[in-house]
Amino acid sequence: MNFTNNKINGLLLLVILLATGCYKDKSNDSLIPINEIKIDDPKSKSVITVFPGETLNLKPELTLSMKEKMDKLDFSWTLYNSNGNISLASPRTVITNEYELKYPITPDIFTLGEPYVLRLKVTDRESGVGSYITYRIVIGNKYGNGWILLEDKNGAGDLSFIFPDNTVENNVYTSRNTAPLVKPTKLQITTFSISEDISPSGKRLYILADGGSQEYNYLTMVKKFDYSHLFYLAPSIQKPQLLTWVSTTATSSKLANLGLIVNNGKAHTNLVGGFPGVKKWGDAALNTSGNLNYSLAPYAVGGPNVDGMFYDNTSKRFYSVIAYSPTPGAGSLTAFPPNASTSAFDLNNVGMDMLFLDSADQVHQYNAIMKSADNKPWLLRFKTQNTSTATPNLTIEKKEMNAPGVLNYTAAAGSTNTGHIYYGNANVLSRYETGSNTVVENYTFPAGENVTAIKYAKFTYQDTAPVKLARLVVATWNGTEGKLYYFTLSQLGAMGSFTKQFTGFSKIVDLAYKY
């Protein structure tokens, strides 16, 4: 080992270090001043709601310590989904490098109802110093609240929407769906959650039409499935007349227990909740005789003690439907036990045709308009919540109606606040009072302007008045134009004159409030 060379090398290193330590550091003489950047925007303090089809405009305020160096800044807007239930590592995408953001909200980028984060980074190119501002946004649904109108345009269907501020948007269906809607007949909306796993749990929107039907996204109203997709084995004749869900929950927090369809007069059921996985509608249910010799009215109800009820206009009787149970009878049409009927009438032997059925002014009670063999109208009142298990006594009342023109009604709706049924006959709107058994009020539209649809709203949504008043919504058609009227009802159910009129529609065949 050469110790002499090692000593020389060590000495040389020491000299170099001493020389370096003695060098005067003059780097401070050439420091680059830092352009301090501050970003502020009041919009960043709360969640921003934007709607599909809009353009999101953001331009935060910049405060620079060196204003003259604005052109030395780089901008970068980064977007990512912030729904942690979807992913904790959502991809970050730089969407623009402009200072002012003008970004369209399109369905290929944004999902309705989802939360997103937008982050702007401003960087000084000379110093590399940057600053951030973060915005939280959610993609809102402008069709969240309002009246949906189902229109028939010479055989082709479309939707219009009336917003709470009374503005109207037409062509809602055709603006977001390519498949034509042929001969629409009915809107079916379930406002409580459904969990049959055909679609994600949530509310349901169906449009029924001659020859078929479709399920639509409840938020966007974009078509999801054809009618046949809802069945394990689709019926050979597709003529949907009713598609609804009932709940046996006694509280206001409802959960669907049973799906009920009337297709070409036959019953199909969905025994949701009975087993895991996707649950679809089954084949047509058999009656108590074990055959399909029946024709159901297009109505169905259910409640805490009666899972489901149909009425058969062939055998002229009510049928009970049991939701999921270990017994083979689940989903079939079954007879009511004898003690379910009182002296008012026999559920298993009514002997009349059902023309109309809707909710009454008591929870879990219903009014049915019936036609006897001698062509007279009758009112049948019943309930779906038993007074006791031992004595179900579901039937309440039966009486001949003193309601001129009701057998030829064109649309009707029952009040859930007062004892009234509102019905249209040609161009006359009538208020029938169930207690006094008389028509207590009429409203006459212009000649030739006939009633096509009626819906009753228990109260007006977003009404800030201390006393919430009900609303009757009535559609008319004069052969060339459809109109819609709001009647604000008194606390006693009186109509008076209409309080709002909308014009310029096609023929309105049905309507529903969406919320």
Side-chain angles (χ1 to χ4, degrees):
M1 183 176 291
N2 191 339
F3 289 101
T4 303
N5 287 340
N6 286 341
K7 289 180 180 180
I8 294 173
N9 290 336
L11 182 61
L12 180 61
L13 178 60
L14 180 60
V15 172
I16 293 172
L17 289 173
L18 289 171
T20 304
C22 294
Y23 178 77
K24 184 178 181 181
D25 185 0
K26 296 182 180 180
S27 61
N28 289 339
D29 294 342
S30 59
L31 282 177
I32 300 174
I34 295 176
N35 184 14
E36 295 182 3
I37 305 168
K38 293 182 180 179
I39 315 174
D40 187 51
D41 191 341
K43 293 180 181 178
S44 68
K45 305 298 189 295
S46 59
V47 177
I48 302 171
T49 300
V50 288
F51 300 108
E54 293 184 342
T55 297
L56 179 60
N57 293 299
L58 294 173
K59 188 178 182 180
E61 180 182 354
L62 289 180
T63 303
L64 309 177
S65 61
M66 304 175 68
K67 296 180 181 180
E68 69 277 6
K69 292 197 174 185
M70 181 71 179
D71 60 346
K72 303 297 183 183
L73 301 180
D74 285 335
F75 302 92
S76 177
W77 287 89
T78 302
L79 171 72
Y80 63 92
N81 187 304
S82 62
N83 187 343
N85 292 324
I86 295 177
S87 173
L88 295 175
S90 298
R92 270 62 170 166
T93 304
V94 176
I95 58 175
T96 183
N97 296 111
E98 300 293 329
Y99 167 32
E100 182 178 0
L101 180 71
K102 295 181 179 181
Y103 201 68
I105 306 301
T106 57
D108 58 323
I109 301 295
F110 297 95
T111 301
L112 193 65
E114 285 295 306
Y116 293 85
V117 165
L118 267 171
R119 180 168 293 152
L120 170 63
K121 179 182 179 181
V122 183
T123 307
D124 186 310
R125 287 196 298 273
E126 292 183 342
S127 66
V129 174
S131 187
Y132 298 84
I133 189 170
T134 299
Y135 296 88
R136 293 171 296 151
I137 67 172
V138 65
I139 310 305
N141 175 27
K142 69 175 181 177
Y143 304 109
N145 284 14
W147 286 96
I148 309 178
L149 313 183
L150 178 61
E151 300 172 78
D152 186 336
K153 299 179 177 181
N154 297 318
D158 212 334
L159 298 172
S160 288
F161 202 89
I162 300 180
F163 299 94
D165 64 358
N166 293 328
T167 57
V168 178
E169 183 176 331
N170 302 114
N171 306 315
V172 173
Y173 176 89
T174 52
S175 67
R176 59 200 56 232
N177 293 281
T178 56
L181 182 60
V182 181
K183 295 182 180 179
T185 58
K186 201 169 189 178
L187 273 172
Q188 298 272 216
I189 286 184
T190 301
T191 55
F192 49 89
S193 183
I194 310 298
S195 56
E196 87 293 56
D197 293 327
I198 300 176
S199 295
S201 296
K203 299 176 181 180
R204 296 290 185 260
L205 168 62
Y206 309 97
I207 299 179
L208 308 190
D210 283 352
S213 176
Q214 299 88 30
E215 179 180 336
Y216 292 81
N217 185 297
Y218 189 83
L219 295 175
T220 64
M221 290 178 284
V222 173
K223 179 182 174 181
K224 296 173 64 178
F225 309 121
D226 281 320
Y227 185 58
S228 57
H229 181 75
L230 302 175
F231 294 85
Y232 288 113
L233 179 64
S236 56
I237 299 176
Q238 296 189 17
K239 188 178 180 181
Q241 298 158 288
L242 175 78
L243 197 166
T244 191
W245 294 84
V246 293
S247 173
T248 59
T249 308
T251 64
S252 59
S253 301
K254 292 184 178 295
L255 181 67
N257 300 96
L258 182 64
L260 299 171
I261 281 178
V262 177
N263 179 80
N264 194 36
K266 303 297 182 282
H268 299 260
T269 60
N270 188 316
L271 307 179
V272 62
F275 52 90
V278 174
K279 294 165 278 290
K280 294 190 176 185
W281 270 267
D283 202 356
L286 302 179
N287 62 13
T288 52
S289 300
N291 58 51
L292 296 174
N293 184 26
Y294 64 90
S295 179
L296 300 181
Y299 304 99
V301 297
N305 301 110
V306 182
D307 293 345
M309 290 181 70
F310 286 114
Y311 188 84
D312 177 21
N313 278 329
T314 298
S315 59
K316 304 186 188 312
R317 56 168 297 171
F318 284 94
Y319 279 118
S320 172
V321 180
I322 303 172
Y324 175 79
S325 71
T327 64
S332 300
L333 301 179
T334 59
F336 282 92
N339 61 355
S341 301
T342 68
S343 59
F345 62 93
D346 184 355
L347 288 167
N348 298 314
N349 184 22
V350 177
M352 293 185 282
D353 291 329
M354 178 180 283
L355 302 182
F356 172 77
L357 176 65
D358 204 358
S359 299
D361 55 329
Q362 299 292 323
V363 178
H364 301 304
Q365 293 191 13
Y366 299 89
N367 288 322
I369 298 177
M370 315 294 291
K371 183 176 72 172
S372 61
D374 56 356
N375 213 37
K376 293 181 179 180
W378 289 79
L379 178 69
L380 268 60
R381 190 180 181 99
F382 63 92
K383 57 188 175 181
T384 58
Q385 185 169 19
N386 299 337
T387 332
S388 71
T389 305
T391 310
N393 59 352
L394 298 176
T395 60
I396 301 173
E397 183 182 21
K398 173 186 175 183
K399 61 186 175 186
E400 185 177 345
M401 295 177 68
N402 179 23
V406 74
L407 288 179
N408 299 311
Y409 83 95
T410 54
S415 168
T416 55
N417 281 351
T418 58
H420 296 107
I421 297 174
Y422 301 88
Y423 67 94
N425 182 303
N427 67 323
V428 178
L429 176 64
S430 300
R431 175 167 64 103
Y432 168 77
E433 191 170 79
T434 58
S436 65
N437 192 27
T438 57
V439 170
V440 293
E441 185 182 11
N442 287 312
Y443 180 87
T444 304
F445 294 100
E449 189 176 327
N450 297 328
V451 176
T452 60
I454 302 175
K455 282 297 164 69
Y456 177 89
K458 192 177 182 72
F459 59 89
T460 302
Y461 284 84
Q462 298 184 345
D463 184 1
T464 58
V467 177
K468 302 292 189 291
L469 297 177
R471 173 179 287 175
L472 194 70
V473 184
V474 182
T476 64
W477 172 248
N478 61 15
T480 57
E481 181 186 32
K483 298 179 181 181
L484 194 81
Y485 297 87
Y486 287 168
F487 288 83
T488 300
L489 305 178
S490 75
Q491 291 180 285
L492 298 178
M495 299 182 298
S497 184
F498 66 86
T499 54
K500 185 70 178 177
Q501 180 193 60
F502 303 88
T503 61
F505 301 105
S506 298
K507 185 178 182 180
I508 301 169
V509 295
D510 201 6
L511 59 148
Y513 194 85
K514 184 172 180 287
Y515 63 95

